[in-house]
């Protein structure tokens, strides 16, 4: 699994699970008589905190910021399912897989991946469903996931004059392939999925261009060529689910360009490079512990922010391997705005693209990719499997603010077997660091990454 070093785009995806002793049937919540738009452009496990007071969830006591996988999977209502915690826990799990084979800059949209797979999960059954729930912290009760996802999508797309933030979903269906009406209804109702008929069999290149054009339009032309040559298999591909997310926000307090200077940056203890580094001194939300410091940079509107996490030692590989959602939440809980912080932050701009199938299989989502065991009977009566999950992302951080985009595609094929005033603090990011873009309203980590070596064109 490799990340191509260029520009980052591709939005990644959200959330699922079931009630104890009683699985709610999604068929009871939507009418199959819904009118569907065929034009996608037409609107239609592993973390624990120990320093937080315990709270009760579904009868079990757990820490406030800890994800209890059993309670999460068996959540029987939107009120008892914390989709933000589910998404964020998956974010750290996926990040830990991505960094194993990638020693360069990293950037992903956990939300995009989570959401794209959530749409696929709505049609999963049996062990396929259970494994997906375990990996993504989905509730077994699909209606709970759908309703929770709908609320998050509505919040993200609520609009603001202060920033741009939008997410979109689409289903690209082989024109002679029948999807179950309930699955379409759920995709439209819960995920605002736009349904489009394409011809993978006879016009795979035209279909690929159509999907890529949609992704580009939804990401302000930042995510290009999400579906590469060879991803569509004319003989087998029947459905591609896509999620895109785009963000463009100005800092609440912009960095003065006149203060930007070339400064030394140390990708490792034994290496030094020169990087365009921004500087400011102002009161900011700041926190620290014995391992790292954290700084919040809010965007205009104060609905979103970037958190910078800088290890105390220049050992990013050791730090990121052990850094968990628990540690992240604990660092955030230590933050205080009473400090005037001298801040040095290198400008950075890059893109990554990766295929996630191997990572998802290693995380335990095995059957969904298997010809014999994949069960997506909620999507179609035909035997289907996931053939690939592709994710691409782009980020640009400079004096004015941040632009970020991401997209995720879940490619679903017919199984081949079927046919075959305190003291001034200093935050000097002069060595590798992690960063997160979080929706403060929902608590969801929308993007996360690390800067191993800053690049800016």
């Amino acid at each position: 699994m490799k990340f191509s070093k260029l520009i980052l785009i591709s939005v990644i995806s959200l959330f699922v699970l079931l009630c104890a002793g009683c699985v709610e049937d999604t068929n009871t919540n939507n009418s199959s008589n819904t009118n569907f738009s065929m034009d996608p452009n037409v609107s239609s496990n592993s973390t624990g905190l120990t320093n937080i007071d315990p709270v009760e969830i579904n009868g079990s006591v757990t820490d406030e910021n800890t994800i209890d996988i059993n309670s999460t999977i068996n959540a029987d209502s939107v009120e008892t399912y914390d989709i933000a915690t589910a998404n964020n826990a998956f974010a750290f799990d996926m990040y830990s897989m991505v960094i194993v084979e990638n020693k360069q800059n990293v950037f992903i949209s956990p939300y995009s991946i989570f959401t794209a797979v959530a749409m696929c999960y709505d049609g999963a059954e049996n062990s396929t469903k259970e494994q997906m729930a375990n990996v993504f912290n989905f509730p077994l009760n699909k209606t709970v996931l759908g309703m929770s996802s709908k609320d998050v999508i509505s919040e993200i797309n609520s609009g603001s004059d202060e920033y741009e933030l939008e997410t979109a979903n689409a289903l690209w269906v082989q024109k002679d392939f029948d999807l179950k009406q309930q699955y379409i209804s759920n995709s439209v109702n819960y995920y605002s999925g736009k349904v489009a008929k394409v011809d993978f069999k006879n016009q795979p290149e035209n279909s690929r261009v159509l999907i890529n054009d949609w992704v580009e339009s939804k990401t302000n032309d930042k995510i290009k060529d999400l579906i590469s040559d060879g991803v569509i298999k004319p003989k087998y591909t029947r459905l591609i689910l896509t999620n895109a997310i785009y963000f463009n926000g100005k800092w609440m307090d912009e960095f003065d360009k006149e203060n930007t200077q070339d400064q030394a940056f140390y990708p490792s203890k034994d290496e030094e490079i020169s990087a365009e580094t921004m500087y400011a001194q102002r009161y900011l939300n700041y926190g620290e512990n014995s391992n790292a410091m954290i700084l919040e940079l809010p965007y205009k509107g104060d609905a979103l922010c970037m958190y910078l996490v800088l290890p105390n030692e220049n050992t990013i590989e050791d730090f990121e391997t052990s850094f968990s959602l628990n540690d992240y939440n604990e660092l955030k809980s230590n933050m205080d705005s009473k400090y005037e912080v001298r801040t040095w932050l290198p400008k950075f701009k890059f893109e990554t693209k990766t295929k996630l199938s191997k990572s998802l299989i290693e995380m335990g989502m095995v059957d969904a990719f298997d010809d014999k065991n994949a069960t997506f009977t909620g999507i179609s009566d035909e035997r289907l499997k996931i053939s690939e999950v592709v994710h691409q992302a782009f980020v640009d951080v400079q004096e004015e603010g941040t632009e970020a985009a991401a997209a995720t595609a879940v490619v679903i094929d017919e199984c081949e077997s079927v046919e075959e005033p305190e003291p001034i603090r200093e935050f000097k990011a002069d060595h590798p660091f992690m960063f997160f873009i979080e929706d403060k309203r929902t608590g969801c980590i929308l993007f996360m990454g690390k800067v191993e070596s800053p690049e800016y064109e």
Side-chain angles (χ1 to χ4, degrees), residues 295-318:
L295 186 70
E296 177 185 350
L297 295 179
Y299 295 101
K300 286 184 178 179
D302 203 27
L304 294 100
C305 68
M306 175 180 285
Y307 290 109
L308 300 167
V309 176
L310 180 68
N312 293 338
E313 303 295 331
N314 189 356
T315 54
I316 188 65
E317 187 172 346
D318 293 338

Side-chain angles (χ1 to χ4, degrees), residues 113-316:
I113 302 169
F114 187 96
T115 301
V117 176
M119 289 192 293
C120 183
Y121 175 82
D122 192 70
E125 298 296 346
N126 302 332
S127 61
T128 301
K129 173 184 173 183
E130 293 170 1
Q131 291 173 7
M132 294 175 76
N134 282 321
V135 170
F136 283 85
N137 312 306
F138 290 152
L140 293 172
N141 185 326
K142 298 174 185 177
T143 302
V144 170
L145 177 63
M147 294 175 65
S148 299
S149 297
K150 183 176 183 177
D151 289 344
V152 172
I153 292 170
S154 177
E155 189 69 60
I156 288 176
N157 290 339
S158 58
S160 172
D161 294 333
E162 302 287 352
Y163 56 84
E164 294 179 69
L165 178 63
E166 185 176 5
T167 185
N169 299 307
L171 296 79
W172 309 87
V173 190
Q174 171 62 34
K175 65 179 184 179
D176 57 357
F177 187 77
D178 292 328
L179 297 180
K180 290 188 175 179
Q181 286 299 305
Q182 186 61 53
Y183 178 74
I184 297 176
S185 177
N186 290 347
S187 298
V188 172
N189 182 38
Y190 295 140
Y191 300 98
S192 298
K194 315 310 174 191
V195 184
K197 294 286 188 179
V198 292
D199 192 354
F200 295 127
K201 292 180 179 178
N202 302 304
Q203 297 180 315
E205 180 59 19
N206 288 347
S207 300
R208 187 178 77 88
V209 170
L210 184 63
I211 297 172
N212 286 340
D213 285 349
W214 180 87
V215 170
E216 287 187 35
S217 71
K218 296 300 181 182
T219 58
N220 197 30
D221 298 329
K222 292 299 181 290
I223 304 297
K224 299 179 183 293
D225 199 34
L226 175 66
I227 306 297
S228 304
D229 287 333
V231 170
I232 295 175
K233 304 178 186 68
K235 186 177 180 181
Y236 297 111
T237 301
R238 298 295 175 261
L239 172 65
I240 294 181
L241 306 173
T242 53
N243 168 271
I245 184 169
Y246 176 76
F247 169 67
N248 192 345
K250 303 294 185 184
W251 302 120
M252 187 173 292
D253 295 298
E254 297 181 12
F255 288 86
D256 189 339
K257 289 186 177 181
E258 293 185 359
N259 293 333
T260 299
Q261 297 180 358
D262 288 341
Q263 296 276 350
F265 186 90
Y266 305 90
S268 66
K269 293 179 180 179
D270 304 320
E271 184 181 0
E272 176 182 335
I273 62 175
S274 180
E276 283 189 80
T277 304
M278 306 178 290
Y279 172 78
Q281 181 174 332
R282 60 177 70 106
Y283 284 92
L284 293 168
N285 229 1
Y286 170 90
E288 61 184 42
N289 61 20
S290 59
N291 297 317
M293 55 188 81
I294 186 170
L295 186 70
E296 177 185 350
L297 295 179
Y299 295 101
K300 286 184 178 179
D302 203 27
L304 294 100
C305 68
M306 175 180 285
Y307 290 109
L308 300 167
V309 176
L310 180 68
N312 293 338
E313 303 295 331
N314 189 356
T315 54
I316 188 65

Side-chain angles (χ1 to χ4, degrees), residues 6-7 276 347-349 396 455-457:
L6 283 171
I7 316 173
E276 283 189 80
K347 296 166 62 175
F348 56 93
K349 177 180 178 180
D396 179 0
E455 304 170 2
Y456 200 84
E457 297 179 358

Side-chain angles (χ1 to χ4, degrees), residues 297-432:
L297 295 179
Y299 295 101
K300 286 184 178 179
D302 203 27
L304 294 100
C305 68
M306 175 180 285
Y307 290 109
L308 300 167
V309 176
L310 180 68
N312 293 338
E313 303 295 331
N314 189 356
T315 54
I316 188 65
E317 187 172 346
D318 293 338
F319 179 84
E320 66 184 351
T321 300
S322 61
F323 190 66
S324 65
L325 177 59
N326 170 44
D327 300 321
Y328 175 65
N329 287 335
E330 184 179 11
L331 260 179
K332 286 168 57 178
S333 70
N334 291 333
M335 299 182 76
D336 199 300
S337 59
K338 64 183 178 181
Y339 301 112
E340 188 176 8
V341 185
R342 299 178 66 196
T343 305
W344 290 266
L345 178 65
K347 296 166 62 175
F348 56 93
K349 177 180 178 180
F350 58 89
E351 177 184 17
T352 61
K353 183 175 183 179
T354 188
K355 294 182 177 180
L356 301 176
S357 300
K358 179 181 177 183
S359 294
L360 292 172
I361 290 171
E362 290 178 356
M363 292 168 71
M365 195 173 122
V366 178
D367 288 358
F369 298 91
D370 186 78
D371 284 297
K372 295 182 179 179
N373 297 319
T375 306
F376 290 103
T377 51
I379 297 178
S380 171
D381 290 329
E382 302 296 329
R383 296 192 60 230
L384 302 173
K385 68 170 184 177
I386 299 176
S387 63
E388 191 55 82
V389 178
V390 184
H391 184 68
Q392 189 171 337
F394 163 88
V395 64
D396 179 0
V397 174
Q398 29 70 23
E399 290 90 350
E400 291 86 358
T402 302
E403 185 176 25
T408 305
V410 180
V411 183
I412 300 177
D413 292 356
E414 284 195 51
C415 295
E416 295 187 17
S417 57
V418 174
E419 309 175 68
E420 232 194 312
E422 289 279 335
I424 291 176
R425 296 296 199 267
E426 291 190 352
F427 188 96
K428 192 169 187 177
D430 63 351
H431 55 274

